[in-house]
Amino acid sequence: MPKSSKFSVLLVLAAMLAAGPAFAGEPVAWSDEASEELAVALHEMHEVWNTGDIESLKKLIIGDDVLVTFELDPATHTPIRINSRDQLWSFVDNIVTNLEDEEAVSLLGHPGVHCRATDSFGVCTEECNVTVKLPNGVEERHKLWSTATAVKYPDGWKWIQWHMSTGGPVEVYQNGVKVVQGD
């Protein structure tokens, strides 16, 4: 190898080592600042959901026509596939309609959130509790776990895909007393 080529290789290697973590064993250059910003965006999206402002929610949850979202059927709590943006928005509309039909109030507790992000892409895991209160004094408490994927647009983080699962059985209360469910 000519002397100038060896020197070029050494310069490239030196530049790669100087570039930092992406070449020193970290395949992604996570940003602490972007990760914190993403966690705030997830909490803000939950607040929008709790207000019932579905049009604003749909501006934050944009879905993706390639990545499948895995959710839980609101009636049966069994896994379902959401294959497109249209299906995603239909799913959200169905949840709202079901809650209105039951005259229920759904409240998301403050979730435990952990996020990792670059300046344009991020992933969060969360553990949360959702309480559904019915007018007859019945209260359902759902423990949920999820992994959510977001991308950064000029106007903020948008959620494109997630995977929801149950974190335990639904607890049912009647007028504040836990109902013991049979086997």
Side-chain angles (χ1 to χ4, degrees):
M1 182 181 301
K3 193 173 191 177
S4 64
S5 295
K6 288 179 184 176
F7 183 70
S8 296
V9 169
L10 287 174
L11 282 176
V12 169
L13 287 173
M16 289 172 62
L17 290 173
F23 294 104
E26 276 287 328
V28 176
W30 297 116
S31 163
D32 290 341
E33 184 179 325
S35 297
E36 185 175 320
E37 182 183 283
L38 183 60
V40 168
L42 182 57
H43 286 295
E44 288 173 353
M45 185 271 297
H46 287 147
E47 290 302 317
V48 170
W49 180 262
N50 279 344
T51 67
D53 183 357
I54 301 309
E55 292 310 310
S56 293
L57 184 68
K58 288 180 180 180
K59 292 175 184 172
L60 299 173
I61 300 176
I62 62 170
D64 185 275
D65 285 337
V66 175
L67 298 172
V68 175
T69 288
F70 300 102
E71 245 304 346
L72 298 172
D73 182 284
T76 64
H77 309 290
T78 57
I80 59 172
R81 289 173 53 100
I82 300 174
N83 298 310
S84 69
R85 288 182 179 117
D86 289 342
Q87 283 184 359
L88 176 63
W89 291 330
S90 178
F91 172 80
V92 170
D93 289 338
N94 286 339
I95 288 177
V96 172
T97 300
N98 289 345
L99 289 171
E100 288 173 354
D101 288 349
E102 293 179 337
E103 298 178 23
V105 175
S106 177
L107 299 170
L108 173 70
H110 191 71
V113 170
H114 303 279
C115 298
R116 297 289 295 251
T118 67
D119 290 335
S120 61
F121 177 82
V123 177
C124 294
T125 58
E126 72 176 302
E127 298 176 53
C128 66
N129 295 304
V130 175
T131 301
V132 177
K133 295 181 178 187
L134 301 170
N136 62 359
V138 171
E139 195 174 285
E140 297 176 349
R141 297 180 187 169
H142 302 263
K143 293 179 184 178
L144 303 172
W145 297 338
S146 73
T147 302
T149 308
V151 292
K152 180 90 179 262
Y153 283 78
D155 62 339
W157 290 98
K158 309 289 183 187
W159 302 95
I160 61 168
Q161 187 277 343
W162 65 88
H163 187 155
M164 181 72 68
S165 64
T166 60
V170 175
E171 294 179 351
V172 179
Y173 293 80
Q174 177 75 47
N175 298 317
V177 178
K178 187 172 182 176
V179 175
V180 178
Q181 298 174 330
D183 296 321

